[in-house]
Amino acid sequence: MTDLKDTRTLTLEGALKVLNAAIGEATRIGQPMCIAVVDTGGNLLAFGRMDGSKGLSVTSSINKARTSALSGVPTGGAHADVEIQVSLAHENRWTNLIGGLPIRVDGFILGAVAAGSGSGSQDIAVARAGAAAIPGADMCLDFVAMGAENSDTSRSRIQQEMP
């Protein structure tokens, strides 16, 4: 039937597993984070603001997760030349900051996880740890940061630091 399509999405239980795994990684690396988990529609399912994380990262981590769920790709991969225009076109709810990761299993986007308050490489590492709580999740290991957040030297550093 062409009028319907199969979809899958994270449940609250799944989102809490993702959140707790991400908190565990942030604790392990000693970097307090704001961590957001959303469903396929970018709707917030779970959120945690660790003691010592940056208050401004509350909004950015939610926007990172929303952007990643709706685009199906990690945040930070759009070229710096277009990021302001795309953000404005999406009423400033789209972001190119590193740290949002779609949770994709068997080709289905289930939602996304994002972290903020650390460096870009720390944020994506924490998001990856969260996504790994869902069996079979794609870790997007071929991701290359391209945004203004990265200088040419930090781009190569981030790629080398990513697990």
Side-chain angles (χ1 to χ4, degrees):
M1 179 178 262
T2 60
D3 295 338
L4 304 173
K5 65 179 179 176
D6 290 333
T7 61
R8 298 180 191 170
T9 191
L10 280 175
T11 62
L12 176 59
E13 183 178 344
L16 292 173
K17 287 179 184 176
V18 170
L19 177 63
N20 287 324
I23 289 170
E25 177 64 8
T27 300
R28 187 189 74 74
I29 67 172
Q31 178 60 57
M33 296 272 185
C34 293
I35 301 162
V37 184
V38 300
D39 65 14
T40 55
N43 302 298
L44 190 62
L45 285 172
F47 181 83
R49 180 176 180 220
M50 297 173 67
D51 295 340
S53 63
K54 299 172 184 171
L56 289 173
S57 294
V58 170
T59 301
S60 64
S61 63
I62 293 170
N63 284 341
K64 288 178 191 183
R66 182 177 291 123
T67 298
S68 194
L70 295 175
S71 68
V73 296
T75 58
H79 195 277
D81 291 347
V82 299
E83 63 187 20
I84 291 173
Q85 294 90 337
V86 176
S87 183
L88 290 172
H90 292 275
E91 299 175 342
N92 295 319
R93 295 180 75 178
W94 177 91
T95 185
N96 199 37
L97 295 171
I98 296 171
L101 189 70
I103 300 173
R104 181 183 307 120
V105 176
D106 296 331
F108 289 92
I109 302 291
L110 308 178
V113 57
S117 282
S119 67
S121 59
Q122 289 173 321
D123 291 355
I124 194 72
V126 168
R128 280 196 173 116
I134 302 299
D138 176 4
M139 295 293 105
C140 301
L141 297 176
D142 58 349
F143 166 71
V144 177
M146 297 287 294
E149 176 183 8
N150 312 300
S151 69
D152 289 333
T153 56
S154 66
R155 232 180 254 133
S156 61
R157 180 186 46 78
I158 288 169
Q159 287 173 309
Q160 290 170 359
E161 291 178 6
M162 286 187 185

